[in-house]
């Protein structure tokens, strides 16, 4: 849907005023592709990834009630009744719709008489009907089913919030906004998976998914989705709304409800696109307007937010407009503080902006991180970006444009470099350069990141070879481009300590801790230098901090004990 003029003006206003041509984005998600496995057990296979379960069905294998009745007349023998279904919580890891249609097999074979039994649809339930269709499909293909837990999957690859390895998102200690193998929160694998899933369903006109869709009421799916949403099962609700949309793509309510589920999962930009589509279908859909106004406010787009509040009809609330204007006031102060290079005020006003409602605005988090960098508070800059929500790369580029996304990557690359993540810094700034080749700031940061990374690599090689003088000089070359880089300072301190220059090593270690107080290596280096110089009180202070941070480190405990003993001995001599 084409954006309203107010939406275009707002995006230009904030991103243009605050970042020049730059606008911003943020925090990476690989979803493991679930492979269906066929075994010799009794039903359909459950995959190891809930979001990627696919149903396939060959043409001509749908249930035929007339045929079942004819088969029943032919069979003179009594029919065995299916064994009662187990509890729906039999497998807690499977997100199921309706009851589990579980039927026990005898010797891994369905008796012919059982197949002839016609069970009323209302007595089977949704899950049971799906299972019957799947069993027919598999028998037609000569495949034995492997599990009777039918799950409604692959109706929108889902990102579970708060999980460590869902999609391509952050996994282990990745500051919340980068993938373990890359640098800037990419969900390429998720995107590829979605494309694969969609093409798979499109390429199979007789797929089971399509067969099921033609037999189900989208309103029923919506009601089930609403129930899951109320119960906090947002991923399952999203799957059901996707299913309803697949059956009736022209119903605005399904898009609006999907937007609510996406919002609950933290996928704000995707939620915006769904709301826009709902309004395109139904321009006077008040609830969708109100929902979109809240989303725009969270993204820091005040003009767009107010525009949609005014179109919300009875859903509108004067408090919404007042809240939006409060956010605008703080954003204006952010713009002025950046213009004056008043970093202290900028840090304060970005925090106020986030607290006022713009809690998902990547440009605000990036402004705050930039202010911390300019104030040589590198650890806090890293923490600021780690709080920024994760957005899909493709969606973010589509929403902010390549230049806006590149602007965010510039800040991100500098934060990575200041925290010693040189590979991620190079990757982020190279991507920014591809998106905005004519940006002078991008080119400048690219050259600096490359120079610092090369100097660090060169220094490491010299250090490993025991050539400490050359290593110290190499790290110094990197510090010429980034004088407060904590990693280079700590590495040079190690070289100086090896050469017995403890006073200079102490200075570099202290400088590293000034910008990153939680940098354990630098603190350990400083404690060691103080111990070598006989500054036992200072050494004990650092060792005590390290003991709290790493209580299991025996080396720290031993050094702390030695320092205390030396201090007691010195005081004994002094007395």
């Amino acid at each position: 849907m084409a954006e309203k003029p107010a939406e275009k003006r707002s995006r230009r206003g904030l991103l243009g005023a605050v970042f020049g041509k730059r606008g911003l984005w943020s925090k990476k998600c690989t979803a493991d592709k679930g492979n269906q496995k066929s075994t010799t057990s009794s039903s359909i296979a459950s995959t190891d990834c809930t979001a990627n379960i696919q149903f396939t069905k060959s043409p001509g294998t749908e249930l035929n009630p007339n045929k079942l009745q004819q088969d029943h007349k032919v069979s003179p023998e009594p029919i065995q009744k299916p064994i009662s279904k187990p509890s729906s919580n039999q497998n807690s890891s499977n997100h199921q719709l309706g009851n589990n249609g579980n039927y026990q097999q005898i010797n891994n074979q369905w008796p012919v008489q059982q197949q002839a039994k016609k069970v009323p649809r209302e007595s089977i339930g949704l899950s049971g009907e799906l299972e019957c269709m799947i069993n027919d499909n598999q028998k037609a293909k000569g495949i034995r089913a492997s599990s009777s837990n039918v799950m409604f999957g692959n109706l929108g690859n889902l990102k579970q919030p708060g999980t460590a390895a869902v999609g391509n998102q952050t996994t282990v200690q990745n500051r919340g906004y980068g993938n373990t193998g890359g640098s800037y929160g990419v969900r390429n694998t998720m995107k590829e998976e979605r494309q694969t899933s969609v093409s798979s369903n499109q390429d199979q006109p007789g797929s089971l998914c399509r067969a099921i869709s033609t037999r189900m009421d989208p309103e029923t799916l919506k009601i089930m989705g609403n129930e899951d949403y109320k119960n906090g099962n947002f991923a399952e609700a999203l799957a059901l709304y996707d299913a309803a949309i697949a059956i009736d793509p022209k119903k605005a309510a399904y898009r609006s409800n999907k937007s609510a589920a996406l919002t609950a999962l933290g996928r704000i930009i995707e939620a915006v696109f769904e709301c826009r589509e709902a309004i395109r279908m139904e321009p006077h859909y008040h609830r969708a307007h109100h929902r979109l106004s809240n989303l725009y406010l969270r993204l820091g787009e005040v003009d767009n937010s107010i525009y949609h509040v005014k179109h919300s009809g009875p859903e509108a609330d004067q408090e919404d407009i007042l809240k939006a204007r409060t956010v605008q006031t703080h954003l204006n102060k952010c713009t002025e503080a950046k213009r004056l290079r008043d970093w202290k005020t900028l840090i304060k006003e970005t925090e106020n902006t986030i607290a006022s409602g713009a809690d998902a605005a990547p440009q605000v988090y990036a402004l705050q991180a930039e202010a911390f960098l300019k104030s040589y508070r590198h650890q806090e800059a890293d923490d600021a970006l780690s709080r920024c929500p994760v957005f899909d790369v493709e969606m973010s580029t589509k929403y902010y444009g390549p230049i806006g996304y590149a602007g965010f990557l510039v800040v991100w690359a500098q934060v990575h470099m200041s925290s010693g993540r040189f590979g991620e810094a190079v990757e982020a700034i190279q991507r920014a350069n591809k998106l905005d080749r004519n940006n002078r700031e991008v080119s400048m940061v690219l050259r600096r990141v490359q120079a610092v990374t090369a100097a660090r690599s060169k220094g490491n090689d010299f250090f490993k070879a025991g050539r400490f003088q050359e290593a110290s000089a190499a790290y110094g070359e990197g510090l010429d481009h980034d004088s407060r880089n904590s990693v280079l300072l700590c590495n040079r301190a190690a070289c100086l300590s090896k050469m017995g220059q403890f006073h200079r090593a102490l200075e570099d270690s202290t400088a590293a801790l000034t910008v990153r107080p939680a940098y354990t290596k630098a603190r350990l280096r400083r404690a060691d230098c103080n111990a070598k110089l006989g500054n036992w009180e200072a050494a004990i202070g650092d060792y005590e901090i390290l003991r709290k941070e790493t209580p299991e480190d025996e080396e720290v405990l031993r050094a702390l004990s030695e320092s205390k003993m030396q201090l007691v001995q010195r005081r004994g001599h002094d007395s």
Side-chain angles (χ1 to χ4, degrees), residues 506 510 513 522-528 530 536-549 556 560:
L506 187 63
T510 301
L513 287 170
R523 190 170 297 281
L524 186 61
R525 182 72 55 203
R526 188 172 73 173
D528 180 67
N530 276 318
W536 301 114
E537 293 92 341
I540 289 171
D542 280 333
Y543 282 132
E544 287 286 5
I545 294 174
L546 290 167
R547 182 178 63 84
K548 293 177 182 178
E549 293 176 352
V556 170
L560 175 60

Side-chain angles (χ1 to χ4, degrees), residues 377-398:
R377 295 160 67 179
H378 296 173
Q379 184 174 311
E380 290 166 283
D382 198 22
D383 292 339
L385 277 191
S386 73
R387 296 193 300 271
C388 185
V390 179
F391 293 145
D392 180 87
V393 172
E394 182 180 2
M395 286 290 179
S396 298
T397 306
K398 178 181 177 182

Side-chain angles (χ1 to χ4, degrees), residues 127-166:
S127 186
E129 183 184 10
L130 297 182
E131 183 179 5
C132 289
M133 298 177 71
I134 293 166
N135 285 337
D136 279 0
N137 173 56
Q138 291 189 327
K139 283 182 285 188
K141 293 181 176 180
I143 301 174
R144 289 182 180 180
S146 61
S147 170
S148 58
N149 291 327
V150 179
M151 294 162 51
F152 205 91
N154 208 21
L155 295 171
N157 291 310
L158 310 178
K159 173 174 76 74
Q160 298 277 8
T163 53
V166 177

Side-chain angles (χ1 to χ4, degrees), residues 140-446:
K141 293 181 176 180
I143 301 174
R144 289 182 180 180
S146 61
S147 170
S148 58
N149 291 327
V150 179
M151 294 162 51
F152 205 91
N154 208 21
L155 295 171
N157 291 310
L158 310 178
K159 173 174 76 74
Q160 298 277 8
T163 53
V166 177
N168 207 31
Q169 181 131 2
T170 323
T171 52
V172 182
Q173 290 292 329
N174 219 14
R175 308 306 306 151
Y177 55 89
N179 61 12
T180 53
S183 59
Y184 32 80
V186 196
R187 292 193 189 129
N188 289 334
T189 303
M190 176 179 282
K191 179 187 73 174
E192 293 167 2
E193 228 174 88
R194 286 178 179 167
Q195 293 173 345
T196 303
S197 170
V198 170
S199 63
S200 174
N201 286 335
Q202 290 176 344
D203 293 341
Q204 300 182 30
S207 69
L208 181 59
C209 238
R210 184 166 301 182
I212 291 172
S213 297
T214 60
R215 299 168 65 93
M216 298 177 68
D217 177 17
E219 279 299 312
T220 301
L221 291 171
K222 186 192 82 169
I223 292 169
M224 296 169 69
N226 291 349
E227 190 65 29
D228 273 327
Y229 183 90
K230 290 175 185 177
N231 293 331
N233 302 322
F234 305 120
E236 291 85 343
L238 178 60
L240 288 163
Y241 296 142
D242 270 330
I245 292 170
I247 299 168
D248 186 0
K250 296 183 180 180
K251 194 69 174 289
Y254 303 158
R255 298 281 183 177
S256 181
N257 286 11
K258 180 180 177 181
S259 175
L262 287 166
T263 301
L265 291 169
R267 295 158 63 176
I268 307 298
I269 292 179
E270 294 171 77
V272 168
F273 285 123
E274 290 299 329
C275 257
R276 286 180 182 175
E277 184 64 14
I279 293 170
R280 185 191 68 79
M281 295 175 179
E282 195 174 323
H284 300 292
Y285 190 179
H286 294 149
R287 178 165 294 183
H289 277 291
H290 189 258
R291 183 164 285 150
L292 187 54
S293 74
N294 289 332
L295 290 170
Y296 275 134
L297 183 64
R298 293 188 65 187
L299 290 169
E301 299 191 20
V302 177
D303 290 343
N304 290 340
S305 178
I306 293 175
Y307 173 86
H308 287 283
V309 167
K310 292 178 179 179
H311 287 76
S312 299
E315 298 280 340
D317 188 341
Q318 190 63 27
E319 288 296 323
D320 294 329
I321 295 179
L322 293 176
K323 188 176 181 180
R325 287 175 177 163
T326 300
V327 171
Q328 185 64 68
T329 298
H330 290 303
L331 284 172
N332 292 340
K333 291 180 180 179
C334 288
T335 303
E336 182 65 12
K338 179 175 172 63
R339 186 183 70 80
L340 297 174
R341 301 178 69 82
D342 183 354
W343 307 121
K344 184 177 180 180
T345 300
L346 182 55
I347 291 169
K348 175 185 174 183
E349 289 304 327
T350 50
E351 196 61 44
N352 290 338
T353 303
I354 293 167
S356 298
D359 60 347
Q363 66 272 25
V364 177
Y365 287 99
L367 267 179
Q368 190 176 74
E370 185 176 6
F372 279 126
L373 285 176
K374 298 294 186 181
S375 304
Y376 301 111
R377 295 160 67 179
H378 296 173
Q379 184 174 311
E380 290 166 283
D382 198 22
D383 292 339
L385 277 191
S386 73
R387 296 193 300 271
C388 185
V390 179
F391 293 145
D392 180 87
V393 172
E394 182 180 2
M395 286 290 179
S396 298
T397 306
K398 178 181 177 182
Y399 187 80
Y400 291 108
I403 293 177
Y405 179 35
F408 178 76
L409 289 176
V410 169
V411 177
W412 206 339
Q414 293 177 84
V415 172
H416 277 312
M417 186 170 68
S418 69
S419 299
R421 298 187 293 270
F422 298 99
E424 288 88 339
V426 170
E427 190 175 355
I429 195 60
Q430 285 179 344
R431 188 180 185 92
N433 189 53
K434 289 179 181 178
L435 292 171
D436 191 6
R437 293 186 179 278
N438 296 323
N439 190 313
R440 292 180 60 186
E441 184 181 8
V442 172
S443 300
M444 180 182 68
V445 173
L446 175 61

Side-chain angles (χ1 to χ4, degrees), residues 71-85:
D71 291 344
H72 178 62
K73 293 176 182 178
V74 172
S75 175
E77 298 184 12
I79 300 171
Q80 298 180 5
K81 295 183 179 180
I83 295 174
S84 60
K85 307 173 197 174

